[in-house]
Amino acid sequence: MEKMTDDEALNIVEEILEIKQLNNVQKIVFCQAWEGQSYMQIANAFDYDYSYIKDIGSQLWQMLSTALRQKVTKLNFQSVLKHYAKHRESQFASQSAFSRPEVEPLESSLSPNYSTLSIDEDETRWVGRESLVDALTEKIKGISRVLMLVGITGIGKSSLAIRLSLEPAIAQTWPFLQVIRFDAEQQTFEQFARLLLKEQMRSDFELEHESQKLVIDLVNYLQTHPCLLLLDMVEEILETGDRGEFHYKDPLFAQFFDRFIQVEPMPSRLILTSQDRLPVIAEGRYLERSHLEYLKGLNPEEALELFGSWEVYPQTDEEREYLQRIVRVYEGHPLALRVIAGEIRESPYNRDIQAYWHDYGEEIVTIEQQQIASDLRSSADSVTLANYSINLTDLVKCRIERTFIRLRVSSPLAYILLCMGATYRCSVERTAWLLLIAECPKEAQIIAFQTLQRRFLLETDSKAGRVFYRLHSLIRSIALQHLVNFQPEILL
């Protein structure tokens, strides 16, 4: 069933919930949400309080989640119902009888060293990238056993992973979802395996003498218990090698991924998110069984849709231009734009884009002027994109700062190159970057540059058959601030 009207969808919902009909407000929320309206738009159109409409929607999705035994949200309810209808039709055709799809509930685990991701459509507010979702869904359903989502902090890796897990084609194939976030200082493969194996875990004595067999146990478990395993912030279990390459702190992780990619059959799937380039699996012998997706910012249309998801709508052409200029200087960075949208929506601006621009537009104008300046380099640029407001400082700058700290500790020369590279106002060739640390040995220069590449800290532009490198506007903003107190001799 490719197309479904709101009335048809409403009939299916009432059938699923086994009730005669939804009440009037539930019908309004469902039908308007089916047409793509936000809770705020529904509340305004039908003269209801926003919080009341939001609560009605949340209750409705929860009722469907309970009945279908899978996560249903405002984000995915259309695709869930279409998938349900298609399944019903196929069962009716083959069995001449209808039975509700049996789906195991989504599940996640929590331990002192691992934390679960929250799947909340009000926080995720997913927009755009629909073609990417479709493409990655096909890869996971196909022969790609390991999907790696990589990019700078806040670019939407975790949100995309969650979005994929909610796709009916994936949720129905892998109804058991295990979500693990690596966020503690110490991580071991044993801790990781214990979350999945539980009572099947070997004894401490056996582990002490046969730790490698734990890898075999876990892979065998994933062979006999098909699931979708979402591993978030994998960079936390990596360490840097002598040449800037990444290795797993616990070598058993490398053995696990190698064996996972090699064995037959393997009905489970892995989705990994990382700020750093992940180690090659099985020495690259099974490249078709893994896929790396490098995420960049939202395009202009998607970014404006994100503002709309936060009930921030331009009322004039001038306000639309303000939002477009904000999107451009932030290069579509989802986290930064989400923070700005939230600021515009809340007091004291109360969705007044003009008033927000009056307070903060000067920073945007400054960046625009720097981008068209005739001088190639400047160490005196005052860029405050990551911290001109309290929320940007608390929610965006602090996350980027953690990236800088990790780089400074593990690769001092790469950190120096990053800070000095911030003086470039536009993209330049690789040789221009290496000239910034020309006093260092050539091999050290190359390793430093490759380290920035492996951490996805360099953006690329192609012009006339050549590749040019630059920093994302947010990364440059923080790097210029570090440059103020820069003391390279202490680091080297």
Side-chain angles (χ1 to χ4, degrees):
M1 180 180 294
E2 293 299 324
K3 294 183 179 180
M4 184 187 298
T5 66
D6 56 353
D7 286 336
E8 291 170 336
L10 190 60
N11 290 335
I12 291 176
V13 168
E14 292 172 345
E15 177 183 287
I16 292 172
L17 298 180
E18 298 180 349
I19 58 178
K20 187 174 182 180
Q21 63 179 0
L22 300 179
N23 63 41
N24 289 336
V25 181
Q26 288 173 327
K27 287 182 179 179
I28 288 173
V29 171
F30 180 85
C31 292
Q32 292 300 307
W34 186 269
E35 297 299 325
Q37 299 297 299
S38 68
Y39 290 138
M40 181 59 69
Q41 289 174 314
I42 298 171
N44 290 339
F46 292 87
D47 198 24
Y48 282 107
D49 180 73
Y50 165 75
S51 298
Y52 175 63
I53 291 297
K54 180 182 175 183
D55 288 343
I56 292 295
S58 297
Q59 292 168 9
L60 186 55
W61 314 137
Q62 183 57 53
M63 290 163 61
L64 286 170
S65 296
T66 301
L68 291 174
R69 303 179 66 197
Q70 74 174 91
K71 185 72 175 180
V72 180
T73 71
K74 188 173 184 291
L75 177 71
N76 74 337
F77 81 103
Q78 284 197 8
S79 53
V80 167
L81 292 179
K82 290 176 181 177
H83 186 88
Y84 179 95
K86 183 177 180 180
H87 180 85
R88 180 187 62 178
E89 290 175 356
S90 63
Q91 282 195 334
F92 184 84
S94 60
Q95 303 174 9
S96 298
F98 168 71
S99 63
R100 177 174 300 162
E102 290 296 328
V103 183
E104 292 298 320
L106 299 181
E107 188 168 322
S108 57
S109 295
L110 178 66
S111 79
N113 292 312
Y114 297 83
S115 63
T116 57
L117 292 173
S118 172
I119 301 179
D120 184 344
E121 82 271 15
D122 191 54
E123 290 298 323
T124 302
R125 296 178 188 267
W126 180 265
V127 297
R129 289 180 173 165
E130 296 304 324
S131 60
L132 178 59
V133 169
D134 292 341
L136 295 181
T137 297
E138 290 304 311
K139 287 189 176 296
I140 295 174
K141 289 172 58 183
I143 62 174
S144 292
R145 300 180 180 184
V146 181
L147 173 61
M148 297 169 282
L149 306 177
V150 298
I152 64 174
T153 184
I155 206 66
K157 303 180 294 296
S158 299
S159 295
L160 177 56
I162 292 171
R163 178 67 179 86
L164 287 168
S165 73
L166 294 174
E167 275 294 288
I170 292 179
Q172 295 286 352
T173 304
W174 294 280
F176 185 79
L177 171 66
Q178 193 83 11
V179 187
I180 299 172
R181 167 174 284 158
F182 299 97
D183 59 2
E185 292 184 1
Q186 297 295 328
Q187 299 290 354
T188 68
F189 183 77
E190 180 183 336
Q191 293 169 318
F192 166 70
R194 194 177 296 277
L195 291 174
L196 291 169
L197 295 177
K198 299 176 182 175
E199 67 276 0
Q200 301 179 40
M201 190 79 170
R202 291 174 182 267
S203 69
D204 292 340
F205 177 80
E206 289 176 312
L207 288 175
E208 183 179 353
H209 293 83
E210 301 177 347
S211 60
Q212 291 186 349
K213 288 188 177 180
L214 183 57
V215 172
I216 297 174
D217 289 347
L218 183 53
V219 172
N220 288 344
Y221 176 85
L222 292 174
Q223 283 185 289
T224 56
H225 298 76
C227 73
L228 178 63
L229 189 56
L230 197 167
L231 308 181
D232 192 44
M233 294 176 63
V234 178
E235 70 271 5
E236 294 292 338
I237 58 172
L238 299 178
E239 61 183 1
T240 309
D242 294 337
R243 296 189 58 83
E245 75 282 9
F246 288 104
H247 306 287
Y248 291 102
K249 296 175 183 177
D250 186 337
L252 291 181
F253 276 108
Q255 295 180 31
F256 164 70
F257 289 120
D258 286 353
R259 187 170 182 82
F260 182 89
I261 214 81
Q262 292 171 345
V263 299
E264 293 291 354
M266 178 45 70
S268 295
R269 293 292 185 268
L270 303 181
I271 300 180
L272 283 60
T273 76
S274 176
Q275 292 183 42
D276 302 331
R277 182 173 291 277
L278 297 168
V280 175
I281 302 176
E283 298 180 343
R285 293 193 299 272
Y286 300 87
L287 292 177
E288 73 282 357
R289 294 185 179 182
S290 65
H291 175 76
L292 184 145
E293 188 69 34
Y294 172 46
L295 294 189
K296 293 193 174 184
L298 302 172
N299 66 40
E301 292 76 19
E302 292 169 339
L304 289 179
E305 186 181 346
L306 184 146
F307 279 101
S309 73
W310 283 84
E311 289 89 39
V312 175
Y313 303 101
Q315 302 300 315
T316 65
D317 290 342
E318 184 179 38
E319 289 189 344
R320 182 179 181 84
E321 181 187 352
Y322 289 155
L323 291 185
Q324 290 173 333
R325 292 168 70 178
I326 290 173
V327 169
R328 281 196 297 268
V329 299
Y330 281 95
E331 300 185 49
H333 190 274
L335 176 60
L337 296 181
R338 191 181 74 184
V339 170
I340 292 171
E343 289 180 330
I344 296 175
R345 187 183 72 171
E346 304 301 332
S347 176
Y349 302 106
N350 300 313
R351 301 180 179 81
D352 189 335
I353 300 171
Q354 180 81 35
Y356 186 85
W357 183 268
H358 180 270
D359 278 358
Y360 298 124
E362 182 178 351
E363 278 75 14
I364 308 301
V365 173
T366 299
I367 298 300
E368 292 173 333
Q369 292 173 344
Q370 291 170 4
Q371 290 174 342
I372 62 174
S374 58
D375 295 338
L376 175 63
R377 295 183 63 188
S378 173
S379 60
D381 286 348
S382 176
V383 182
T384 58
L385 282 183
N387 66 334
Y388 65 68
S389 71
I390 294 175
N391 286 336
L392 282 171
T393 300
D394 292 347
L395 300 175
V396 178
K397 183 182 178 182
C398 67
R399 287 177 59 169
I400 298 176
E401 284 285 2
R402 287 199 294 270
T403 298
F404 275 63
I405 292 171
R406 290 174 56 240
L407 182 64
R408 185 172 59 196
V409 171
S410 63
S411 305
L413 185 58
Y415 169 76
I416 291 172
L417 180 59
L418 177 69
C419 293
M420 296 181 68
T423 62
Y424 286 125
R425 287 174 158 173
C426 61
S427 57
V428 296
E429 292 185 85
R430 176 175 175 272
T431 52
W433 278 83
L434 298 182
L435 282 174
L436 296 173
I437 50 175
E439 69 280 4
C440 298
K442 187 65 176 180
E443 184 177 7
Q445 297 175 31
I446 294 173
I447 291 175
F449 186 81
Q450 290 179 344
T451 296
L452 297 185
Q453 289 181 303
R454 286 191 174 98
R455 293 175 184 263
F456 306 104
L457 292 171
L458 294 178
E459 302 289 320
T460 59
D461 298 317
S462 297
K463 305 173 186 176
R466 293 186 292 175
V467 179
F468 297 78
Y469 301 88
R470 62 178 177 82
L471 299 181
H472 189 283
S473 57
L474 283 171
I475 301 297
R476 181 173 186 252
S477 175
I478 303 298
L480 284 172
Q481 294 175 26
H482 278 240
L483 200 58
V484 174
N485 300 315
F486 195 58
Q487 293 179 295
E489 65 278 1
I490 295 179
L491 295 170
L492 297 177

